[in-house]
Amino acid sequence: MSGPAAGAGTAADEEEEEEEPRLKYQRLGNSVPEILKREAASSVRVHEKFVALGTHEGWIYILDFNGNEIRRFGAHTAIVNDLSFDRLGEFIASCSDDGTVVINGLYSAECESFTYQRPVKALALDPKFSRKGNRQFVSGGLSQQLLLNEKGWFSNKDKVVHSGEGAIYAVAWAESLMAWANDAGVKIFDNAANKRITYIDRPEGSARADLFRPHLVWETPSLLLIGWADYVKIAQVKERPAREGVGAQKYVEILAFFHTDFYIAGLAPLDGGLLVLLAYVVDAEGGNKTAERPELRILTRSNEEVSSDALSMHGFERLAAKDYRLAHLQQQSVLYIVSPRDIVVARARDLDDHLSWLIARRMYAQAVAEAEEKADQVQRHRLQDIGEKYLGQLTEAREFETAAALCPRLLKQQAGLWEKWVAVFCKIAQHAVIAPYIPVRNPQLSPDTYTQMLLHFLEADEEMFLKLLQDWPAAVYSVPELIKAVKLKLRGEHSQGTEEGLARLLVLGGDSEAALELYLKLNRKDAAFSLIDKFQLFPAVKDRVLDLLRFDHPRALKLFVNNTDKITPAHVVPQLAEERGLQHEYLAALFDKDPRAAPHHHEMQVGLYAEFDYPKLLPFLRQSSHYRLETALQLCQDKELYPEMVFVLARMGDAKQALQLLVERVGDVGEALAFCQEHADEELWEHLITLCLSRPSLVAPLLQDIGAHVDPIKVVKRIPMGMKIEGLREKLSKIIADYHLQMSLREGCEHILKSDVVLLGRRLNRLQRRALRVDSRSRCGLTGAPVVGGGNNLLLQPYPGLVTFFGGRVYHEDALVSLCQAEHEVEAGAGEGDHPAARPQGP
């Protein structure tokens, strides 16, 4: 019933993108059609609680916002020209051509009527009418007077606020400010100050007020909107600050003034600083002025049109501009457009209306984005429904990747929707597109959905088949069904991808040993050893030691070394008999981890170290004691491994033979010196000197270092006369220097020792001379008498002699002397006795 005005447009206009309307329209129903069949509407006023409708027959109807009649008043005998509510909505005032003003209580039976001589065209209740005792209202009409009526002590009285400038056609009241329009223009009066603020003249050349009624709307208590014929003015009431001798003064500033290409039948503010004008348009073509459909136009305050909607009002062809009324409820952005036989409600479009408009034009992407962003404001639409339309649009356009990527965002946790759209993608052969987005939890789909998807990729894409097997948990699909399908495929053709998939399924199905065989066959090292560790498949591989080492030497070696409790060395070593190198690596790694791990194989390891890792043989011999010395000696003799022979001979107790090997075979005097120093045996030192003196080439190295261990004089004296020794002078000088250094160090140590003894002696003496505490708790160790008396812890008088010990014992000197004398007498008497038995025994 509403929409943009119809008209032919150019091709360019048709291509221009359609603009979304700002408002939505609906005829007010229920009681309204029946009322308007009987009577013609003449005025309307809206409160946040209800709607008031005045008629040509003088009736006033109170309606709810759905058009249901709540109450009616037969207030007048002629047309109702204007209506006014107080701010609380407790009273409604009406005026009529019958010259009356009637005020009715909406929650009480109060009713007051005021009669004037001429028709009253406009009125306004004081916004605080129900709370003020003077109950003021203002009215005006053809009497050319603006009257302020207020309640006195005994009766109401009228005060003439203004007169003499023609009939008054509009009045508006906000807080203390009243505005009215007459033939000359608009006046603003401050009721609190009882002073007129300003006069705004009527636009030059504008139509008469009786033909095109002026419109006054207070947008805020200080901002007045004025619509007159085809002109709009916006006036702001401001206040100048007080100055010396002059109080604060209010004045008016015109913020906007513009001309329209239509007559104004109504005016109201709209959110966002916009204006709504009810446009009365006349078609003057052909010389006949014909009224067209009224239009509701939204303008900026600089007269730029934002939108325009033509309204199909009943009988618009026969109506004049003054037959229309426009009332607004600013808090809810609701407009009521009234003609004699029609009431149309215009509301600001909400988010659901916006979404409906987008959906109707298949603008699903924008609809989805806005529904997500403002989800708490959506009432009538569901994101899933819009999302499905969007997915359908994308699949029609073959934008499959985009559609699949949007599924998690649009389908969310709706399992039924997921299964529906997975089936759609499968039907159009887009399995690969949707598969990565299929959820496996929250929501989890039916097992058949996942199983069928995997069966498809088993035939079409082995790589995707393996990836999904890895990504999807086994609980979501049928493992037995997939194993059966894979085995059936392998009967016809073999491929690594299919066999690897079977291995994974066998693991999921519980047959990990069969899976291990497949991984070994496919050379999947990571998977094989991970499977062994995870499922402890040691019984399956304990007899395949050599195969596993050849399969992946480092991992297999680590596996056997770290799990000796499950695969013992006694089980591993025999299997490596043909691969002595692997045998050595295993035993060496085992020995490095725990030298006590395989003691029975240490004798074998002697030969293995000698063969494969000679540098580690001697450390092994030193560290281990689980081999026969005779066997180790024989092996070293066979291979002429003299350093190791020296160690074995020394361990066997044949130090002289070991020393002789060091000197004669190895020729390392330094090692020989260290050997002798280690054993600390004088005979070895003598033997070393003898061996070296028998070989002139060894005398010089001997002299080089022996001075720190043996008296060098002994060595020098034993050097045969005439023996040529290279660098003898330097060697002797070094021997003497080493000897002097040794003597100096010894003297230094003795000096330090003596200093320490003196220091400690002084410390002991100082401790022994320090005072010992004696107090009232101290008692003689012999008599038990206190050694200190009195309340002041004073010593007993006369001053007693005390003997104290570092252990804390205290004695009276007299008691201690008496005890010693008594013991002396007893010992003397015992000496005179005839038999030792007669001597008294001490305690």
Side-chain angles (χ1 to χ4, degrees), residues 703-717:
L703 293 175
Q704 180 76 20
D705 298 311
I706 199 171
H709 308 290
V710 179
D711 186 355
I713 302 302
K714 294 181 181 181
V715 181
V716 173
K717 285 182 179 181

mmCIF file with all atom_site columns, all heavy atoms in Angstrom, residues 703-717:
data_model
loop_
_atom_site.group_PDB
_atom_site.id
_atom_site.type_symbol
_atom_site.label_atom_id
_atom_site.label_alt_id
_atom_site.label_comp_id
_atom_site.label_asym_id
_atom_site.label_entity_id
_atom_site.label_seq_id
_atom_site.pdbx_PDB_ins_code
_atom_site.Cartn_x
_atom_site.Cartn_y
_atom_site.Cartn_z
_atom_site.occupancy
_atom_site.B_iso_or_equiv
_atom_site.pdbx_formal_charge
_atom_site.auth_seq_id
_atom_site.auth_comp_id
_atom_site.auth_asym_id
_atom_site.auth_atom_id
_atom_site.pdbx_PDB_model_num
ATOM 1   N N   . LEU A 1 703 ? 115.883 -38.399 33.813 1.00 0.00 ? 703 LEU A N   1
ATOM 2   C CA  . LEU A 1 703 ? 116.402 -37.290 34.600 1.00 0.00 ? 703 LEU A CA  1
ATOM 3   C C   . LEU A 1 703 ? 115.473 -36.064 34.520 1.00 0.00 ? 703 LEU A C   1
ATOM 4   O O   . LEU A 1 703 ? 115.481 -35.226 35.432 1.00 0.00 ? 703 LEU A O   1
ATOM 5   C CB  . LEU A 1 703 ? 117.805 -36.913 34.103 1.00 0.00 ? 703 LEU A CB  1
ATOM 6   C CG  . LEU A 1 703 ? 118.908 -37.973 34.327 1.00 0.00 ? 703 LEU A CG  1
ATOM 7   C CD1 . LEU A 1 703 ? 120.203 -37.539 33.681 1.00 0.00 ? 703 LEU A CD1 1
ATOM 8   C CD2 . LEU A 1 703 ? 119.118 -38.242 35.824 1.00 0.00 ? 703 LEU A CD2 1
ATOM 9   N N   . GLN A 1 704 ? 114.736 -35.952 33.431 1.00 0.00 ? 704 GLN A N   1
ATOM 10  C CA  . GLN A 1 704 ? 113.862 -34.793 33.215 1.00 0.00 ? 704 GLN A CA  1
ATOM 11  C C   . GLN A 1 704 ? 112.818 -34.649 34.319 1.00 0.00 ? 704 GLN A C   1
ATOM 12  O O   . GLN A 1 704 ? 112.538 -33.548 34.774 1.00 0.00 ? 704 GLN A O   1
ATOM 13  C CB  . GLN A 1 704 ? 113.176 -34.927 31.848 1.00 0.00 ? 704 GLN A CB  1
ATOM 14  C CG  . GLN A 1 704 ? 112.234 -33.789 31.506 1.00 0.00 ? 704 GLN A CG  1
ATOM 15  C CD  . GLN A 1 704 ? 112.984 -32.542 31.092 1.00 0.00 ? 704 GLN A CD  1
ATOM 16  O OE1 . GLN A 1 704 ? 114.167 -32.619 30.706 1.00 0.00 ? 704 GLN A OE1 1
ATOM 17  N NE2 . GLN A 1 704 ? 112.344 -31.396 31.226 1.00 0.00 ? 704 GLN A NE2 1
ATOM 18  N N   . ASP A 1 705 ? 112.238 -35.777 34.772 1.00 0.00 ? 705 ASP A N   1
ATOM 19  C CA  . ASP A 1 705 ? 111.071 -35.692 35.677 1.00 0.00 ? 705 ASP A CA  1
ATOM 20  C C   . ASP A 1 705 ? 111.212 -36.440 36.984 1.00 0.00 ? 705 ASP A C   1
ATOM 21  O O   . ASP A 1 705 ? 110.335 -36.341 37.839 1.00 0.00 ? 705 ASP A O   1
ATOM 22  C CB  . ASP A 1 705 ? 109.828 -36.233 34.947 1.00 0.00 ? 705 ASP A CB  1
ATOM 23  C CG  . ASP A 1 705 ? 109.485 -35.408 33.726 1.00 0.00 ? 705 ASP A CG  1
ATOM 24  O OD1 . ASP A 1 705 ? 109.437 -34.176 33.857 1.00 0.00 ? 705 ASP A OD1 1
ATOM 25  O OD2 . ASP A 1 705 ? 109.266 -35.988 32.654 1.00 0.00 ? 705 ASP A OD2 1
ATOM 26  N N   . ILE A 1 706 ? 112.287 -37.202 37.164 1.00 0.00 ? 706 ILE A N   1
ATOM 27  C CA  . ILE A 1 706 ? 112.348 -38.044 38.372 1.00 0.00 ? 706 ILE A CA  1
ATOM 28  C C   . ILE A 1 706 ? 112.703 -37.261 39.606 1.00 0.00 ? 706 ILE A C   1
ATOM 29  O O   . ILE A 1 706 ? 112.476 -37.697 40.738 1.00 0.00 ? 706 ILE A O   1
ATOM 30  C CB  . ILE A 1 706 ? 113.348 -39.209 38.140 1.00 0.00 ? 706 ILE A CB  1
ATOM 31  C CG1 . ILE A 1 706 ? 113.064 -40.335 39.158 1.00 0.00 ? 706 ILE A CG1 1
ATOM 32  C CG2 . ILE A 1 706 ? 114.799 -38.712 38.255 1.00 0.00 ? 706 ILE A CG2 1
ATOM 33  C CD1 . ILE A 1 706 ? 113.822 -41.601 38.884 1.00 0.00 ? 706 ILE A CD1 1
ATOM 34  N N   . GLY A 1 707 ? 113.256 -36.069 39.423 1.00 0.00 ? 707 GLY A N   1
ATOM 35  C CA  . GLY A 1 707 ? 113.691 -35.295 40.582 1.00 0.00 ? 707 GLY A CA  1
ATOM 36  C C   . GLY A 1 707 ? 112.585 -34.986 41.552 1.00 0.00 ? 707 GLY A C   1
ATOM 37  O O   . GLY A 1 707 ? 112.842 -34.750 42.734 1.00 0.00 ? 707 GLY A O   1
ATOM 38  N N   . ALA A 1 708 ? 111.343 -34.957 41.107 1.00 0.00 ? 708 ALA A N   1
ATOM 39  C CA  . ALA A 1 708 ? 110.223 -34.643 41.995 1.00 0.00 ? 708 ALA A CA  1
ATOM 40  C C   . ALA A 1 708 ? 109.742 -35.859 42.772 1.00 0.00 ? 708 ALA A C   1
ATOM 41  O O   . ALA A 1 708 ? 108.900 -35.724 43.653 1.00 0.00 ? 708 ALA A O   1
ATOM 42  C CB  . ALA A 1 708 ? 109.078 -34.075 41.180 1.00 0.00 ? 708 ALA A CB  1
ATOM 43  N N   . HIS A 1 709 ? 110.267 -37.052 42.460 1.00 0.00 ? 709 HIS A N   1
ATOM 44  C CA  . HIS A 1 709 ? 109.766 -38.275 43.102 1.00 0.00 ? 709 HIS A CA  1
ATOM 45  C C   . HIS A 1 709 ? 110.849 -39.027 43.899 1.00 0.00 ? 709 HIS A C   1
ATOM 46  O O   . HIS A 1 709 ? 110.534 -39.665 44.903 1.00 0.00 ? 709 HIS A O   1
ATOM 47  C CB  . HIS A 1 709 ? 109.203 -39.219 42.026 1.00 0.00 ? 709 HIS A CB  1
ATOM 48  C CG  . HIS A 1 709 ? 108.203 -38.561 41.114 1.00 0.00 ? 709 HIS A CG  1
ATOM 49  N ND1 . HIS A 1 709 ? 106.960 -38.177 41.529 1.00 0.00 ? 709 HIS A ND1 1
ATOM 50  C CD2 . HIS A 1 709 ? 108.289 -38.189 39.808 1.00 0.00 ? 709 HIS A CD2 1
ATOM 51  C CE1 . HIS A 1 709 ? 106.293 -37.610 40.522 1.00 0.00 ? 709 HIS A CE1 1
ATOM 52  N NE2 . HIS A 1 709 ? 107.104 -37.609 39.450 1.00 0.00 ? 709 HIS A NE2 1
ATOM 53  N N   . VAL A 1 710 ? 112.076 -38.995 43.388 1.00 0.00 ? 710 VAL A N   1
ATOM 54  C CA  . VAL A 1 710 ? 113.176 -39.762 43.994 1.00 0.00 ? 710 VAL A CA  1
ATOM 55  C C   . VAL A 1 710 ? 114.361 -38.827 44.210 1.00 0.00 ? 710 VAL A C   1
ATOM 56  O O   . VAL A 1 710 ? 114.573 -37.874 43.431 1.00 0.00 ? 710 VAL A O   1
ATOM 57  C CB  . VAL A 1 710 ? 113.572 -40.941 43.071 1.00 0.00 ? 710 VAL A CB  1
ATOM 58  C CG1 . VAL A 1 710 ? 114.730 -41.728 43.670 1.00 0.00 ? 710 VAL A CG1 1
ATOM 59  C CG2 . VAL A 1 710 ? 112.374 -41.838 42.832 1.00 0.00 ? 710 VAL A CG2 1
ATOM 60  N N   . ASP A 1 711 ? 115.144 -39.128 45.246 1.00 0.00 ? 711 ASP A N   1
ATOM 61  C CA  . ASP A 1 711 ? 116.360 -38.336 45.478 1.00 0.00 ? 711 ASP A CA  1
ATOM 62  C C   . ASP A 1 711 ? 117.247 -38.430 44.242 1.00 0.00 ? 711 ASP A C   1
ATOM 63  O O   . ASP A 1 711 ? 117.723 -39.512 43.858 1.00 0.00 ? 711 ASP A O   1
ATOM 64  C CB  . ASP A 1 711 ? 117.110 -38.888 46.690 1.00 0.00 ? 711 ASP A CB  1
ATOM 65  C CG  . ASP A 1 711 ? 118.296 -38.017 47.074 1.00 0.00 ? 711 ASP A CG  1
ATOM 66  O OD1 . ASP A 1 711 ? 118.564 -37.054 46.324 1.00 0.00 ? 711 ASP A OD1 1
ATOM 67  O OD2 . ASP A 1 711 ? 118.917 -38.306 48.089 1.00 0.00 ? 711 ASP A OD2 1
ATOM 68  N N   . PRO A 1 712 ? 117.453 -37.331 43.537 1.00 0.00 ? 712 PRO A N   1
ATOM 69  C CA  . PRO A 1 712 ? 118.204 -37.397 42.271 1.00 0.00 ? 712 PRO A CA  1
ATOM 70  C C   . PRO A 1 712 ? 119.657 -37.826 42.442 1.00 0.00 ? 712 PRO A C   1
ATOM 71  O O   . PRO A 1 712 ? 120.277 -38.315 41.507 1.00 0.00 ? 712 PRO A O   1
ATOM 72  C CB  . PRO A 1 712 ? 118.100 -35.958 41.754 1.00 0.00 ? 712 PRO A CB  1
ATOM 73  C CG  . PRO A 1 712 ? 117.815 -35.115 42.948 1.00 0.00 ? 712 PRO A CG  1
ATOM 74  C CD  . PRO A 1 712 ? 117.053 -35.969 43.888 1.00 0.00 ? 712 PRO A CD  1
ATOM 75  N N   . ILE A 1 713 ? 120.169 -37.683 43.636 1.00 0.00 ? 713 ILE A N   1
ATOM 76  C CA  . ILE A 1 713 ? 121.574 -38.090 43.857 1.00 0.00 ? 713 ILE A CA  1
ATOM 77  C C   . ILE A 1 713 ? 121.740 -39.574 43.603 1.00 0.00 ? 713 ILE A C   1
ATOM 78  O O   . ILE A 1 713 ? 122.743 -40.041 43.034 1.00 0.00 ? 713 ILE A O   1
ATOM 79  C CB  . ILE A 1 713 ? 122.002 -37.723 45.280 1.00 0.00 ? 713 ILE A CB  1
ATOM 80  C CG1 . ILE A 1 713 ? 121.822 -36.205 45.513 1.00 0.00 ? 713 ILE A CG1 1
ATOM 81  C CG2 . ILE A 1 713 ? 123.453 -38.128 45.526 1.00 0.00 ? 713 ILE A CG2 1
ATOM 82  C CD1 . ILE A 1 713 ? 122.606 -35.359 44.547 1.00 0.00 ? 713 ILE A CD1 1
ATOM 83  N N   . LYS A 1 714 ? 120.698 -40.354 44.027 1.00 0.00 ? 714 LYS A N   1
ATOM 84  C CA  . LYS A 1 714 ? 120.763 -41.803 43.817 1.00 0.00 ? 714 LYS A CA  1
ATOM 85  C C   . LYS A 1 714 ? 120.858 -42.129 42.345 1.00 0.00 ? 714 LYS A C   1
ATOM 86  O O   . LYS A 1 714 ? 121.584 -43.036 41.938 1.00 0.00 ? 714 LYS A O   1
ATOM 87  C CB  . LYS A 1 714 ? 119.526 -42.475 44.408 1.00 0.00 ? 714 LYS A CB  1
ATOM 88  C CG  . LYS A 1 714 ? 119.423 -42.381 45.921 1.00 0.00 ? 714 LYS A CG  1
ATOM 89  C CD  . LYS A 1 714 ? 118.168 -43.094 46.390 1.00 0.00 ? 714 LYS A CD  1
ATOM 90  C CE  . LYS A 1 714 ? 118.019 -43.011 47.902 1.00 0.00 ? 714 LYS A CE  1
ATOM 91  N NZ  . LYS A 1 714 ? 116.802 -43.722 48.371 1.00 0.00 ? 714 LYS A NZ  1
ATOM 92  N N   . VAL A 1 715 ? 120.125 -41.391 41.535 1.00 0.00 ? 715 VAL A N   1
ATOM 93  C CA  . VAL A 1 715 ? 120.127 -41.668 40.098 1.00 0.00 ? 715 VAL A CA  1
ATOM 94  C C   . VAL A 1 715 ? 121.456 -41.261 39.474 1.00 0.00 ? 715 VAL A C   1
ATOM 95  O O   . VAL A 1 715 ? 122.055 -41.997 38.684 1.00 0.00 ? 715 VAL A O   1
ATOM 96  C CB  . VAL A 1 715 ? 118.952 -40.935 39.414 1.00 0.00 ? 715 VAL A CB  1
ATOM 97  C CG1 . VAL A 1 715 ? 118.948 -41.239 37.929 1.00 0.00 ? 715 VAL A CG1 1
ATOM 98  C CG2 . VAL A 1 715 ? 117.634 -41.324 40.058 1.00 0.00 ? 715 VAL A CG2 1
ATOM 99  N N   . VAL A 1 716 ? 121.915 -40.108 39.851 1.00 0.00 ? 716 VAL A N   1
ATOM 100 C CA  . VAL A 1 716 ? 123.149 -39.590 39.241 1.00 0.00 ? 716 VAL A CA  1
ATOM 101 C C   . VAL A 1 716 ? 124.331 -40.490 39.574 1.00 0.00 ? 716 VAL A C   1
ATOM 102 O O   . VAL A 1 716 ? 125.203 -40.769 38.726 1.00 0.00 ? 716 VAL A O   1
ATOM 103 C CB  . VAL A 1 716 ? 123.393 -38.141 39.703 1.00 0.00 ? 716 VAL A CB  1
ATOM 104 C CG1 . VAL A 1 716 ? 124.760 -37.638 39.208 1.00 0.00 ? 716 VAL A CG1 1
ATOM 105 C CG2 . VAL A 1 716 ? 122.283 -37.232 39.210 1.00 0.00 ? 716 VAL A CG2 1
ATOM 106 N N   . LYS A 1 717 ? 124.352 -40.952 40.823 1.00 0.00 ? 717 LYS A N   1
ATOM 107 C CA  . LYS A 1 717 ? 125.466 -41.819 41.236 1.00 0.00 ? 717 LYS A CA  1
ATOM 108 C C   . LYS A 1 717 ? 125.513 -43.125 40.451 1.00 0.00 ? 717 LYS A C   1
ATOM 109 O O   . LYS A 1 717 ? 126.565 -43.710 40.244 1.00 0.00 ? 717 LYS A O   1
ATOM 110 C CB  . LYS A 1 717 ? 125.360 -42.126 42.725 1.00 0.00 ? 717 LYS A CB  1
ATOM 111 C CG  . LYS A 1 717 ? 125.767 -40.961 43.615 1.00 0.00 ? 717 LYS A CG  1
ATOM 112 C CD  . LYS A 1 717 ? 125.668 -41.372 45.077 1.00 0.00 ? 717 LYS A CD  1
ATOM 113 C CE  . LYS A 1 717 ? 126.105 -40.214 45.999 1.00 0.00 ? 717 LYS A CE  1
ATOM 114 N NZ  . LYS A 1 717 ? 126.037 -40.609 47.434 1.00 0.00 ? 717 LYS A NZ  1
#
